[in-house]
Amino acid sequence: MSIDAPPTEPASAPWGRDLLVLAVLFAVLLGLQLGSAPLANPDESRYAEIPREMVATGDWVTPRLNGVVYFEKPPLVYWVGAVLQEVFGANDWAMRAIPAGFGLAGILLTYAAARRLHGRTAGLLAAGGLGTSLLFFALSRVLLLDMPVAVLMSATLFCFLLGVREAPGARRRWLFYGLYASAALATLAKGLIGFLLTGAVMFLWLLVFNQWRRLLPLYLPTGLLLFAAIAVPWHVLAAQRNPQWAQFYFVHEHWERFTTTAHGRAEPWWYFGPVLLAGFFPWTGFLWPVLRERLKGGWTAARGANADAWFLALWAGFILLFFSKSQSKLIPYILPVFPPLAVLLGAWLAGIVAGQSTERLRWPLRIFGFFAGILGAALLIAALRPGTIRPEEIRLAVRDNAIPGAVILITGGVASVWFSRNRGVREALAAVAVTAAGFYAAVATAQDDFARSDTRSLAAYTMARIQPGDRIYHYRGFFHDFVFYARREVGTVAWKDELEIDIDPAAPASGRFVDEPEFRRQWAGPQRLWVVARREEAEPLFRDASFQFQLLAETRNHVLFSNRP
């Protein structure tokens, strides 16, 4: 049997039961307190507001933000959000259910792929490793596009890897159709990387490791038709309805984002190394032995019995290097490397579990225990020592949750090492996973205690009192969350933020986007204005004796004021 062949297991091995148990456990973990905190500004609120405007306008082709065309990303996540808003309403929980749902799908997908490749134990361990890795858990609870595209790209590459292992027939055909469909959906989720990056990984593996003989049949004509039927219609409609769309979408958002620093997200080339190491916690210490042992055998094994493991490593390595080369870097970009690493982890751990030898786990568990202890101690110091977290009210608010989190980390770090010496492999690994899950649960419970820079309360105050004919402005800023919670478009003063006013002819014509002199003129006029501003931007206005205003409401970072009582 080759190193990549799944071990023999009973035909009655419970796929359905495993999937159900994993789904319930991780749905509880990912869904804990999911809608308790307001949507973060700007990212989460942006990706909630665009679907809200789709529902309000009935236009599901042209995304809009604050009534202005928004061409930065394709619409799949907006469509999902719009459907959820139609069913559950425009609320925080429904919007964060998008990344949580995709995250859960990614965990189940990783289980299925790892089980098919290496057996049931590897599948369970891979799913547990992915679901309890820090970055994957965190991004499963934040409304961004990265979790959906990472899961869809993973589906594409898992379908390919499983497909080339199959003999010609129905199963191979459906796996390749899954490849084409998921690549198309990934393209609709975040653009051309959905098929370019996955296509590059597949091509490089075939080329470098000489796996061409495994490629056929790949059902190319019908597969391309399926891909085109899913991915092409929106692109065509968007181009037809918006002449300016193609240049902005293909050149500005794809080519310039990768090759220039125009988007202001430049970081050093090594940026994603620490991100990966921290994001794979609590399994960081396992990475080196996993890669060393799973990829052993050198070039001969890479072209033969170990080719599938090298595919997973190439997948992770290529995406890591691609985004390291890019001039635009953000932490979530490398999320697609986590599923293949989780499969490699699960396969390695499954071998250890089968052998019941804890010697190979000695240093990985020690590393986990060390960093769990360091993190736990840091939490205790931050929670108990005045001045470590500012303002002081935030420290006091999170103290009651930080202490249990610290205790969980320290206890779990010690327990995992103790179990490996006195109980066994399963108990030690369970201690690592339970420690991570318990710590994440404590963090999720505490998230509403953190003071956020949100304007939800100001939006509620305004909408309870605003009258027809009144105008709302955001002064020297644009607060995405206000628009979502107010369910209303606003104007801006001397500020366009990421609003694509320059490429939307209707935006300047609306009269909602004004400069400082025009704002002063309207302020002195008969129409009532409601204005939201950051404190630091409003203070110069308030110090101007000629500027008469009524302060209506305020938060720690924002104020709401008007030219009328």
Side-chain angles (χ1 to χ4, degrees):
M1 184 175 68
S2 74
I3 194 170
D4 285 310
T8 302
E9 58 185 356
S12 60
W15 278 79
R17 188 182 70 187
D18 285 354
L19 288 169
L20 179 60
V21 170
L22 288 170
V24 171
L25 290 176
F26 282 105
V28 171
L29 180 62
L30 300 182
L32 186 63
Q33 297 287 93
L34 194 62
S36 63
L39 296 174
N41 189 36
D43 293 329
E44 285 194 300
S45 300
R46 176 201 309 123
Y47 296 131
E49 172 59 15
I50 294 173
R52 189 199 67 80
E53 295 190 33
M54 281 187 168
V55 173
T57 63
D59 184 354
W60 292 51
V61 173
T62 303
R64 290 180 175 83
L65 176 63
N66 193 34
V68 181
V69 296
Y70 190 81
F71 294 148
E72 289 198 10
K73 300 295 184 290
L76 179 66
V77 175
Y78 308 150
W79 288 343
V80 175
V83 170
L84 289 175
Q85 289 189 26
E86 290 271 40
V87 175
F88 299 106
N91 60 73
D92 303 328
W93 178 89
M95 294 299 91
R96 290 206 183 99
I98 299 172
F102 274 99
L104 181 59
I107 293 168
L108 300 181
L109 177 68
T110 300
Y111 162 80
R115 173 164 177 164
R116 187 68 185 167
L117 290 167
H118 304 295
R120 181 185 179 217
T121 301
L124 293 171
L125 290 167
L130 180 65
T132 56
S133 59
L134 176 60
L135 188 63
F136 193 89
F137 169 81
L139 293 180
S140 293
R141 298 173 54 83
V142 180
L143 179 55
L144 299 171
L145 306 186
D146 300 276
M147 179 59 71
V149 75
V151 171
L152 292 168
M153 289 172 64
S154 298
T156 303
L157 293 170
F158 280 142
C159 283
F160 174 79
L161 180 57
L162 296 176
V164 298
R165 295 165 57 91
E166 294 289 338
R171 177 175 287 176
R172 182 183 179 102
R173 181 183 302 109
W174 284 111
L175 283 168
F176 270 88
Y177 285 164
L179 180 161
Y180 294 114
S182 54
L185 291 172
T187 302
L188 283 177
K190 209 177 179 183
L192 304 185
I193 64 168
F195 72 89
L196 289 179
L197 287 189
T198 52
V201 171
M202 292 183 280
F203 175 77
L204 285 174
W205 181 73
L206 293 167
L207 178 67
V208 173
F209 301 117
N210 193 27
Q211 297 295 314
W212 299 102
R213 69 187 182 280
R214 302 174 66 179
L215 182 60
L216 297 176
L218 71 162
Y219 311 100
L220 188 61
T222 50
L224 289 179
L225 285 175
L226 176 61
F227 177 92
I230 296 172
V232 170
W234 175 79
H235 289 81
V236 172
L237 289 172
Q240 288 178 340
R241 298 186 185 184
N242 305 278
Q244 70 277 44
W245 170 83
Q247 193 281 335
F248 187 93
Y249 179 77
F250 290 111
V251 177
H252 180 74
E253 278 303 307
H254 284 85
W255 178 252
E256 291 182 359
R257 183 180 291 272
F258 181 78
T259 60
T260 74
T261 59
H263 291 78
R265 295 168 180 169
E267 298 290 349
W269 64 268
W270 47 263
Y271 176 76
F272 287 119
V275 171
L276 174 60
L277 294 177
F280 209 58
F281 176 87
W283 309 103
T284 307
F286 295 71
L287 272 177
W288 171 245
V290 166
L291 294 174
R292 182 187 61 205
E293 294 191 31
R294 292 302 300 166
L295 303 181
K296 65 184 177 181
W299 191 256
T300 301
R303 287 181 164 226
N306 214 18
D308 297 348
W310 277 91
F311 176 84
L312 296 168
L314 177 65
W315 166 357
F318 178 81
I319 291 178
L320 182 66
L321 291 175
F322 176 87
F323 286 114
S324 295
K325 177 64 177 175
S326 173
Q327 297 302 306
S328 180
K329 296 182 179 72
L330 289 175
I331 287 174
Y333 286 0
I334 63 162
L335 193 59
V337 312
F338 281 69
L341 292 179
V343 174
L344 290 170
L345 173 70
W348 183 73
L349 291 176
I352 294 176
V353 169
Q356 283 298 314
S357 172
T358 60
E359 180 62 25
R360 293 154 71 192
L361 291 179
R362 181 176 61 179
W363 279 106
L365 289 174
R366 287 179 177 179
I367 292 172
F368 163 69
F370 173 77
F371 283 106
I374 292 295
L375 181 56
L379 280 174
L380 286 176
I381 293 172
L384 299 176
R385 184 176 179 180
T388 53
I389 299 179
R390 296 181 182 278
E392 184 67 9
E393 58 264 27
I394 297 181
R395 185 185 69 83
L396 295 175
V398 303
R399 179 182 57 190
D400 293 341
N401 299 104
I403 294 175
V407 171
I408 290 170
L409 286 170
I410 295 171
T411 303
V414 173
S416 64
V417 176
W418 187 87
F419 280 135
S420 70
R421 292 177 177 176
N422 298 282
R423 292 295 180 86
V425 174
R426 294 177 184 271
E427 291 81 358
L429 295 176
V432 175
V434 170
T435 299
F439 172 63
Y440 301 155
V443 172
T445 303
Q447 69 177 7
D448 197 33
D449 292 331
F450 288 90
R452 290 171 174 256
S453 182
D454 69 272
T455 61
R456 180 168 63 176
S457 62
L458 301 184
Y461 182 97
T462 302
M463 299 316 296
R465 295 164 177 81
I466 196 169
Q467 298 296 316
D470 294 355
R471 274 198 165 188
I472 304 174
Y473 279 113
H474 290 180
Y475 183 78
R476 295 188 179 274
F478 174 61
F479 312 114
H480 303 66
D481 58 333
F482 184 98
V483 180
F484 174 72
Y485 291 120
R487 315 286 193 264
R488 177 167 173 158
E489 297 170 4
V490 303
T492 62
V493 180
W495 191 267
K496 68 176 185 177
D497 192 64
E498 62 181 335
L499 295 173
E500 296 160 10
I501 298 170
D502 296 338
I503 65 170
D504 185 355
S510 68
R512 291 188 290 120
F513 308 101
V514 302
D515 56 18
E516 187 81 28
E518 174 60 19
F519 169 68
R520 292 287 190 133
R521 187 192 68 79
Q522 292 187 22
W523 189 262
Q527 187 177 34
R528 184 174 190 181
L529 306 183
W530 300 72
V531 182
V532 182
R534 296 183 183 89
R535 285 186 178 276
E536 59 267 26
E537 296 291 348
E539 284 172 357
L541 279 178
F542 295 169
R543 289 195 298 265
D544 184 351
S546 66
F547 187 80
Q548 302 298 310
F549 67 95
Q550 298 288 327
L551 182 62
L552 303 177
E554 56 188 324
T555 66
R556 188 166 61 89
N557 296 303
H558 299 87
V559 293
L560 173 68
F561 56 99
S562 178
N563 58 345
R564 298 286 183 272

